[in-house]
Amino acid sequence: MSLPDPTIHRRATPRAGLASLPKLLPGLVLAVGLALVAYLLTLMPGLKLVSTLLLAIVLGIAARNMGLLPQTAQAGLTFASKSLLRLGVVLLGLRLSLPDVFSLGFGALLTILLTVAGTYLVAIILRRYLALAPTTALLTTTGTAICGASAIASISAALPPKAQNPDDETVDNAALTALAVITLCGTLTMFALPALVGFLPLTPLQAGVWLGVSIHEVGQVVAAGGFISPEVTDIATVSKLGRVVLLAPIVAMVGYGQSRQAQRKTSQAKSHRPPLLPLFVVGFIMAIVLRSVLAWSGLDQPLGPLLAGLNTFTTFILAVAMAALGTAVNLKSTLSAGGPALLFGLILSGATASIALGLTLCLV
């Protein structure tokens, strides 16, 4: 039997405990299996530059729209798309080290901050002209401004699953659209920007900062820097990390806004009011602090293998969650929003690279 449309009930179930593990197991096994297949696909030569998270959500979509999901998988998929997604976001904080970011210098840090702010400003203006759904615009903008698929996953965890108005989309559909757009636009900038570096008056430091501030995914930044030199690759990677650090305040602001809306809805009731910041956002910030303390104390070096293992585990957990999210996507309704979203992403990516180039030439 195929699953009914899960966007109505997804994330509405109570927290699962050990007693409900047998009920969760079929869906969890399915999501883990899809994530494993996605990881194996990235090992193929033609797919090495494709995000594991994108492949996972695509496989989940295929399973849903081909009617391959059993009814018994519903509970486990719901758990994975909510609880495991938030666990992955918390663990994501362990990748971020503030000392590495500060080592770039004031000019590069200001370039990162102003480029991210400029990207959001352009997005606000552009969305009005393209009449793009608010959630799709927010996820695409954050993926462009911060760190691609990881940013989309993080913001998705802070948003309500259902559309908040008739002009909006569900988070699941919006995440799919944003992931597809971000992957395409990031791949284009990965090839285009290194080619342009040879025609621009950029030092290795400036080239690295420009690539790191403009390209979406960390893997794409590494690949783009590799087209030029190891020095540029190192600078670009650290510059990219500077953008990723800004994910913390952005997720916190989105989570705070959603909590305020929930509080207003329960202000006249005596029910439990949600916290101002979701607990997973607090955990994400604490993970960044912990990773930074390890870097300042020098303990990150001896703990390098452990941190590398946690990094791989984090990617896998997020892939499992994204596969589960994919099983909630109605492909037909999502494709109808693809055209405006793609145009939005292309223009926004070009604007981000242009803003970053101007600031890099002036400040770095």
Side-chain angles (χ1 to χ4, degrees):
M1 179 184 296
S2 299
L3 280 172
D5 188 345
T7 57
I8 300 175
H9 304 290
R10 178 64 53 89
R11 305 181 193 176
T13 57
R15 289 183 183 176
L18 290 177
S20 59
L21 183 58
K23 185 179 179 181
L24 299 178
L25 202 55
L28 287 175
V29 170
L30 176 61
V32 168
L34 292 173
L36 284 173
V37 173
Y39 173 75
L40 292 175
L41 287 174
T42 62
L43 301 179
M44 298 176 62
L47 295 174
K48 287 185 177 180
L49 297 179
V50 179
S51 168
T52 304
L53 305 189
L54 175 64
L55 289 176
I57 199 171
V58 167
L59 291 173
I61 293 164
R64 157 80 194 282
N65 289 273
M66 293 174 66
L68 301 178
L69 302 179
Q71 179 68 40
T72 55
Q74 177 67 63
L77 292 172
T78 301
F79 177 80
S81 67
K82 180 179 180 181
S83 300
L84 289 188
L85 177 58
R86 294 186 172 189
L87 172 62
V89 172
V90 172
L91 293 174
L92 193 63
L94 293 175
R95 296 181 180 180
L96 310 180
S97 171
L98 295 178
D100 290 340
V101 177
F102 294 153
S103 68
L104 289 170
F106 178 76
L109 293 176
L110 188 58
T111 296
I112 293 169
L113 183 62
L114 292 178
T115 300
V116 171
T119 299
Y120 275 95
L121 179 61
V122 171
I124 291 172
I125 299 172
L126 186 60
R127 192 189 78 81
R128 296 177 180 174
Y129 286 97
L130 296 179
L132 194 63
T135 300
T136 303
L138 173 61
L139 295 180
T140 304
T141 302
T142 305
T144 301
I146 306 297
C147 56
S150 297
I152 293 171
S154 300
I155 297 297
S156 296
L159 294 173
K162 298 180 182 179
Q164 298 300 292
N165 60 70
D167 297 325
D168 207 356
E169 285 188 298
T170 65
V171 169
D172 303 311
N173 286 341
L176 165 65
T177 304
L179 278 168
V181 169
I182 288 301
T183 300
L184 176 60
C185 294
T187 301
L188 292 175
T189 56
M190 178 186 70
F191 288 109
L193 268 56
L196 292 174
V197 166
F199 299 95
L200 296 171
L202 297 174
T203 66
L205 174 61
Q206 290 174 323
V209 170
W210 185 44
L211 296 181
V213 177
S214 303
I215 301 174
H216 307 342
E217 293 277 359
V218 175
Q220 293 168 344
V221 169
V222 173
F227 294 148
I228 303 174
S229 71
E231 180 185 4
V232 170
T233 300
D234 292 342
I235 296 170
T237 302
V238 178
S239 300
K240 178 64 180 176
L241 181 63
R243 291 167 68 192
V244 177
V245 168
L246 294 178
L247 181 61
I250 291 173
V251 172
M253 286 188 291
V254 172
Y256 176 78
Q258 295 300 323
S259 295
R260 291 282 298 190
Q261 289 184 15
Q263 285 186 345
R264 283 196 293 269
K265 291 179 180 179
T266 59
S267 60
Q268 295 180 348
K270 295 183 179 180
S271 58
H272 174 67
R273 298 177 67 182
L276 290 180
L277 279 181
L279 290 179
F280 84 95
V281 176
V282 176
F284 176 61
I285 296 172
M286 291 178 63
I288 295 177
V289 173
L290 174 60
R291 182 67 175 83
S292 300
V293 170
L294 291 176
W296 270 312
S297 65
L299 292 175
D300 58 334
Q301 296 298 324
L303 293 176
L306 175 61
L307 293 173
L310 284 173
N311 186 29
T312 302
F313 179 70
T314 299
T315 300
F316 182 71
I317 288 294
L318 288 173
V320 172
M322 297 310 284
L325 280 175
T327 63
V329 172
N330 185 317
L331 191 57
K332 183 178 180 180
S333 63
T334 301
L335 289 177
S336 63
L342 178 58
L343 182 60
F344 179 85
L346 288 171
I347 296 174
L348 195 60
S349 295
T352 299
S354 300
I355 294 170
L357 178 59
L359 290 170
T360 298
L361 290 171
C362 293
L363 299 175
V364 179

